[in-house]
Amino acid sequence: MSAQTSPLADAYPHRHLLGIEGLQPHEILALLDRAESAVEISRQVEKKKAVLRGRTQINLFFEASTRTQSSFEIAGKRLGADVMNMSVSSSSVKKGETLIDTAATLNAMHPDIIVVRHHAAGAVHLLAQKVGCSVINAGDGAHEHPTQALLDALTIRRHKGKIARLTVAICGDILHSRVARSNIILLNALGARVKVVAPSTLLPNGIRQMGVEVCATMREGLADADIVMMLRLQRERMAGAFIPSVREYFRYYGLDAEKLSAARPDALVMHPGPMNRGVEIDPEIADGPQSLIREQVEMGVAVRMAVLEALSAHLPNR
Ligand code: CP
């Protein structure tokens, strides 16, 4: 038997969340609206709901995570799911088991939702074809990180009251960033103006075709910016020299008070984390009055509750 219908299920008619690409603006907005309610639930003393009661959620992380894994665990538990965190470092993946065999093994245990992070772009889409349950992409290589873009949008909308016609400057290691890619797709879908700022070595081919303005300097990129979104320099994904030195990088692309003064006076600063203080952002800015970085973490739980609830409506009832 299949799933119940509800306004959220009607607004988000998908079994999985594999990326922002392909989502309609009204589907994104339905998730953000639902996340607003989840913020309120999370701020109450009594946080437990029964939306996922009896359901099993597996968090399968092949890459390190603090924010995404813990917030998916908290979100699942707040909705009543039984949540299992699968530690890849102590699993049979270490003995050479393939992603597909791991997926088939977990599928045999009848989970309802699998949340996956993997170092290879496309791995989560492949896994979704091999299992019978719902799959959520928690970050696949440099491809997509859809719940990060949703939580960023929620954070922006709560402060600016809208996304459309805002100017958002995304700065730093665009080349290796799934966060940048998902944010560019989402912000364009909702009508924002998106600028990217990076040295040419940290820009992917074809970036202009994604509907962004490309800027080589922070001064140019931050002009008129309502939101300044900094990205981590992903040195673990760099084979070879992409920047002359960290010191040079901070000098030209690290966000400090002087560079931030090029943005609008009410500009807000974001960073998906983990942050490298003194590499892409000055600690005084990260902890300063314009920073939304801690609030992004709170919104992460709310958005993941909304996504889990949206998918739960499409789970089979037996
Ligand atoms: N922003 C983000 O994905 O952080 P984690 O790697 O800690 O999950």
Side-chain angles (χ1 to χ4, degrees):
M1 204 161 83
S2 93
Q4 317 133 1
T5 56
S6 70
L8 184 59
D10 293 343
Y12 187 89
H14 309 287
R15 192 171 130 211
H16 308 299
L17 175 64
L18 302 179
I20 299 296
E21 192 161 31
L23 294 187
Q24 299 301 314
H26 73 269
E27 295 170 350
I28 295 169
L29 292 171
L31 292 172
L32 298 185
D33 291 345
R34 190 67 204 164
E36 291 284 3
S37 317
V39 174
E40 298 313 314
I41 293 167
S42 291
R43 289 180 177 178
Q44 292 168 10
V45 174
E46 175 53 63
K47 302 175 176 65
K48 201 93 172 173
K49 298 287 161 198
V51 174
L52 289 177
R53 189 168 55 201
R55 301 294 190 179
T56 302
Q57 172 188 330
I58 298 178
N59 294 336
L60 178 60
F61 279 60
F62 292 86
E63 273 190 339
S65 169
T66 300
R67 282 144 286 267
T68 311
Q69 182 165 348
S70 57
S71 60
F72 265 116
E73 180 175 0
I74 291 169
K77 286 180 173 170
R78 282 192 184 156
L79 295 177
D82 295 314
V83 183
M84 184 200 131
N85 287 309
M86 169 110 185
S87 169
V88 169
S89 59
S90 58
S91 75
S92 291
V93 172
K94 286 280 165 197
K95 300 174 188 164
E97 187 171 78
T98 65
L99 172 66
I100 299 309
D101 282 337
T102 302
T105 301
L106 295 175
N107 195 46
M109 299 181 204
H110 300 289
D112 297 289
I113 299 173
I114 303 183
V115 180
V116 191
R117 171 171 288 189
H118 198 277
H119 45 82
V124 183
H125 285 70
L126 180 65
L127 188 142
Q129 291 164 21
K130 305 289 178 186
V131 296
C133 63
S134 289
V135 174
I136 301 174
N137 184 355
D140 63 326
H143 180 226
E144 279 234 38
H145 191 349
T147 55
Q148 180 69 46
L150 288 165
L151 78 87
D152 289 341
L154 180 66
T155 310
I156 294 170
R157 197 178 71 165
R158 284 170 66 87
H159 279 268
K160 298 290 185 186
K162 63 177 185 178
I163 304 286
R165 294 179 299 285
L166 291 178
T167 298
V168 181
I170 306 178
C171 313
D173 186 356
I174 312 285
L175 178 66
H176 299 104
S177 179
R178 54 196 174 211
V179 173
R181 205 178 129 73
S182 289
N183 263 303
I184 290 167
I185 298 167
L186 186 151
L187 291 165
N188 273 326
L190 297 190
R193 173 190 180 199
V194 185
K195 301 168 90 175
V196 297
V197 190
S200 58
T201 50
L202 293 178
L203 285 170
N205 288 332
I207 184 72
R208 282 187 175 79
Q209 279 82 63
M210 290 192 75
V212 300
E213 295 167 44
V214 177
C215 304
T217 67
M218 291 290 273
R219 177 153 290 280
E220 183 194 352
L222 268 55
D224 302 324
D226 299 286
I227 300 291
V228 181
M229 197 179 279
M230 300 307 297
L231 299 174
R232 183 171 68 86
L233 197 57
Q234 298 192 35
R235 283 178 283 182
E236 76 280 12
R237 296 193 205 273
M238 295 181 185
F242 285 75
I243 55 166
S245 70
V246 166
R247 210 178 134 119
E248 282 278 289
Y249 183 80
F250 183 74
R251 182 165 167 215
Y252 290 103
Y253 292 98
L255 186 65
D256 56 15
E258 196 273 324
K259 295 193 193 79
L260 184 56
S261 69
R264 289 173 56 94
D266 60 349
L268 296 167
V269 175
M270 303 175 74
H271 192 306
M275 266 186 293
N276 286 316
R277 292 169 181 264
V279 178
E280 67 265 357
I281 191 164
D282 187 323
E284 286 196 7
I285 300 296
D287 301 326
Q290 289 168 273
S291 173
L292 296 179
I293 294 169
R294 294 284 168 263
E295 195 172 321
Q296 286 174 267
V297 177
E298 182 187 4
M299 295 308 122
V301 176
V303 149
R304 284 155 186 142
M305 286 172 74
V307 169
L308 288 168
E309 185 175 348
L311 298 192
S312 78
H314 303 292
L315 295 174
N317 285 332
R318 64 174 170 79

